[in-house]
Amino acid sequence: ENGTDARFERYVSEFIWGASSTSVFPSLPFSNIFHSFSQSGVLWLLKQQIDLMGVNAPRLTAYLPSISNVSAAFPNLVATNCPGFEEEFGRPFTKQFDHPSQNDEFGFYAAAKRVWRKQDATSRALCALHLMDYACFDLIPIPDLCQDVFSDASFNERLLKSQQEANEAMAITCAFCEGGIPDPGLVVPKTGGLTCELVKATATKEVNGTDTCAIVQNEERVCCPTKQVGDGDDA
């Protein structure tokens, strides 16, 4: 039933076990990240941009740790960190904006708040899910329960093990234009219309040292021609 604690608790459980990766926004793979991790989700997109553009990629330079008084705080953030930006953002918001979900029609937000107040296993799971928010955006205050979760020895052991496994997986992934791609939209000749961005995406699915990886890396001549011989593959 919509709006119940049990439904929200099941959502959290299924999200942790991966069910949400195929059931929430199947046609928009990054919507999962942006909707469930509204703060640190942007880092995923920035990482993609760095992979494609290298030193020319946009970077996060400031953020709001709270939406309290956002109508004045956001224009101030822009004015302080984005010199020369449009004057429109230099003053408080004057228009009323509505979002279809703001009235919590299905009671999902209310259920989430009730479950959090229980401070039980589901609440602790929420702390774990938002670990990246607290780690990467250190101006956000960490609730006492989450501090307890993050200081737990078994939690840290599992976290370090997961990171080690991720590092090992990345080490064997086919490398392609690691210094960035000047023009991600450039169409690579004789690939059936594939852009450099899509070729790089193909590389991430292959393993270093294979014939397929070597064929893909051959397109570095087109996508990142400034790569030097000796960087790991022929330039």
Side-chain angles (χ1 to χ4, degrees):
E1 182 182 349
N2 288 332
T4 64
D5 294 6
R7 186 176 179 86
F8 179 77
E9 290 166 348
R10 179 176 178 180
Y11 167 79
V12 174
S13 176
E14 290 186 346
F15 187 90
I16 290 175
W17 292 106
S20 60
S21 64
T22 57
S23 63
V24 181
F25 295 96
S27 62
L28 299 172
F30 299 121
S31 292
N32 290 6
I33 298 171
F34 294 148
H35 282 78
S36 300
F37 303 99
S38 56
Q39 191 78 18
S40 57
V42 69
L43 301 179
W44 182 268
L45 179 60
L46 291 175
K47 175 61 167 59
Q48 282 191 310
Q49 295 297 310
I50 291 174
D51 288 344
L52 290 174
M53 303 171 64
V55 296
N56 297 317
R59 296 180 181 276
L60 182 69
T61 57
Y63 64 94
L64 291 177
S66 168
I67 59 173
S68 175
N69 195 27
V70 68
S71 63
F74 181 70
N76 182 63
L77 178 81
V78 173
T80 304
N81 297 278
C82 309
F85 208 66
E86 294 182 17
E87 185 179 348
E88 176 68 24
F89 289 94
R91 54 179 179 270
F93 299 139
T94 57
K95 297 180 181 179
Q96 177 68 39
F97 294 96
D98 297 318
H99 190 279
S101 66
Q102 70 183 37
N103 295 321
D104 195 23
E105 178 181 359
F106 300 109
F108 188 82
Y109 182 50
K113 291 193 292 185
R114 289 195 303 271
V115 170
W116 170 254
R117 287 196 293 268
K118 293 179 181 180
Q119 301 286 279
D120 59 5
T122 302
S123 305
R124 296 178 71 86
L126 290 172
C127 290
L129 287 172
H130 289 279
L131 170 64
M132 289 295 291
D133 285 348
Y134 296 122
C136 299
F137 301 89
D138 55 2
L139 295 180
I140 301 176
I142 305 176
D144 291 342
L145 179 66
C146 294
Q147 292 186 40
D148 181 63
V149 171
F150 301 152
S151 61
D152 184 83
S154 61
F155 176 80
N156 282 279
E157 288 175 4
R158 295 186 63 178
L159 192 66
L160 292 173
K161 181 179 179 180
S162 296
Q163 183 60 55
Q164 181 181 358
E165 292 172 349
N167 290 340
E168 291 172 352
M170 289 183 64
I172 64 173
T173 299
C174 182
F176 185 85
C177 291
E178 295 297 288
I181 301 175
D183 183 3
L186 178 65
V187 175
V188 181
K190 300 180 181 180
T191 62
L194 293 180
T195 63
C196 289
E197 180 177 6
L198 291 174
V199 173
K200 183 173 179 64
T202 300
T204 62
K205 301 174 184 178
E206 303 298 334
V207 176
N208 259 329
T210 63
D211 291 342
T212 302
C213 178
I215 292 172
V216 173
Q217 288 175 332
N218 190 53
E219 305 304 344
E220 289 182 322
R221 293 181 171 86
V222 176
C223 296
C224 47
T226 57
K227 182 178 179 182
Q228 300 297 311
V229 175
D231 283 349
D233 303 286
D234 293 340

